[in-house]
Amino acid sequence: MVDLEFKYKNLIEKIQEEAPFKPEIALVLGSGLGEFADRIDTIKSIATHDLPDYPESTVQGHKGFIHFAEHGGKKLVIFQGRLHYYEGYSISECILPPFIAKSLGCDTIILTNAAGGINPNLRVADLMVVNSFFTMHIQKALTELMGVASVDQKNAFLDVPALVLGHKFVQAGLDEGIALKEGTYWFQTGPSYETPSEINMLAKLGADAVGMSTVHEAVYAGINGMKVGIISCITNAAAGMGHEKLSHKDVMETAELVKTKFERLMKRIVEII
Ligand code: HPA
């Protein structure tokens, strides 16, 4: 088990020094959804490369900023740029956003991501409230966060990942007239997209959407007592479910299309949670 307090002592000291206030809510922006940070009242922005021991995000569409912002009387910390397991980072690096959020005193975290739609009811540009997820591909690596001693407890946490904000997300969607879908997210390590046969298998196992992030952040936040909610932006039909060849460029383009809807939803969520 990695001692995160020890590993990131300098980083946390620096960010606590720089933070203009104690945030209540953290928001992690997924692939292509980063522009939201430019559409909210930002009080202060910190480039992650100015923080000691903060790894560089190498993926296009992940900028590497931590913003402190306010909306609807709530104080937010927004992570624009995420670290992915497929970039070669360890779990203790990938969970830096929720770790920082927790260290700054946030009790709530909203995780967003881009995902491929497996369930045929999901359309490109839909927003899906994640009500459960699969962590099979990352279970061993998760021991970095919780050790190997309490196996029962670990499995219980993984099965019940504290996704307690979903009903508020649905309410925010109703308030804004945005029809949200709901479903189960399957984590793939990536970086390559799945084959049609793999997607066929995942559909049979009960996955509604597939992506390459988020679940470890949710597990970390959940086991550390934070309220967690996840929204997936369905950026493409998963392999074999549509006719397009999958590409990160298309993922980014769809995320661009949903940005107004996403902004309205996120702002409303922040107002009501
Ligand atoms: N598969 C995995 N991850 C993804 C996808 C996909 O189809 N779309 C966006 N992220």
Side-chain angles (χ1 to χ4, degrees):
M1 189 168 161
V2 177
D3 182 345
L4 297 173
E5 260 89 41
F6 178 73
K7 182 171 164 114
Y8 295 118
K9 189 171 178 293
N10 295 338
L11 195 164
I12 292 301
E13 269 170 20
K14 174 83 176 156
I15 199 157
Q16 276 168 344
E17 232 171 77
E18 298 279 332
F21 51 65
K22 176 174 173 300
E24 305 147 69
I25 302 172
L27 173 59
V28 180
L29 298 170
S31 287
L33 301 171
E35 216 187 293
F36 177 77
D38 307 329
R39 292 162 170 251
I40 193 157
D41 285 340
T42 301
I43 312 291
K44 182 164 185 177
S45 300
I46 302 172
T48 52
H49 64 73
D50 290 336
L51 293 172
D53 304 323
Y54 201 107
E56 288 278 323
S57 177
T58 62
V59 184
Q60 195 213 344
H62 286 269
K63 266 187 172 172
F65 279 96
I66 299 175
H67 304 279
F68 290 84
E70 279 178 354
H71 180 75
K74 306 273 173 59
K75 293 186 163 52
L76 309 175
V77 58
I78 302 176
F79 295 85
Q80 190 185 29
R82 154 181 271 141
L83 300 163
H84 297 84
Y85 196 58
Y86 65 72
E87 292 173 79
Y89 293 124
S90 65
I91 290 291
S92 56
E93 290 167 314
C94 294
I95 53 78
L96 264 171
F99 173 70
I100 290 173
K102 178 77 194 158
S103 307
L104 291 173
C106 288
D107 65 359
T108 298
I109 189 161
I110 304 167
L111 305 168
T112 69
N113 59 45
I118 298 177
N119 187 320
N121 293 329
L122 293 171
R123 302 278 141 161
V124 168
D126 272 349
L127 296 174
M128 181 184 96
V129 178
V130 174
N131 52 27
S132 184
F133 53 68
F134 291 91
T135 56
M136 261 95 132
H137 283 312
I138 209 165
Q139 287 240 354
K140 185 162 180 286
L142 285 172
T143 53
E144 263 187 52
L145 300 183
M146 50 195 119
V148 288
S150 55
V151 175
D152 281 353
Q153 198 188 25
K154 185 173 83 181
N155 287 340
F157 279 128
L158 296 184
D159 290 345
V160 188
L163 293 176
V164 294
L165 296 177
H167 66 287
K168 297 267 186 180
F169 291 3
V170 173
Q171 182 59 50
L174 289 172
D175 292 351
E176 287 297 319
I178 299 170
L180 296 180
K181 302 285 173 65
E182 287 183 57
T184 298
Y185 175 95
W186 179 285
F187 171 82
Q188 277 289 118
T189 38
S192 52
Y193 292 106
E194 304 69 38
T195 65
S197 309
E198 283 163 346
I199 293 299
N200 194 15
M201 176 190 76
L202 300 187
K204 293 196 169 91
L205 292 175
D208 295 304
V210 57
M212 306 176 196
S213 67
T214 309
V215 297
H216 35 303
E217 298 163 6
V219 168
Y220 175 81
I223 61 178
N224 284 286
M226 297 173 90
K227 284 183 258 168
V228 187
I230 306 175
I231 302 267
S232 292
C233 169
I234 305 301
T235 49
N236 57 283
M241 303 296 297
H243 306 292
E244 306 286 314
K245 199 165 176 274
L246 301 188
S247 74
H248 188 60
K249 186 167 155 280
D250 292 341
V251 168
M252 299 289 292
E253 278 171 11
T254 310
E256 173 72 16
L257 279 179
V258 302
K259 68 182 179 198
T260 311
K261 175 164 84 164
F262 180 75
E263 177 187 343
R264 281 200 290 127
L265 180 71
M266 292 320 294
K267 286 189 170 166
R268 187 72 193 137
I269 288 174
V270 167
E271 288 159 16
I272 67 169
I273 58 175

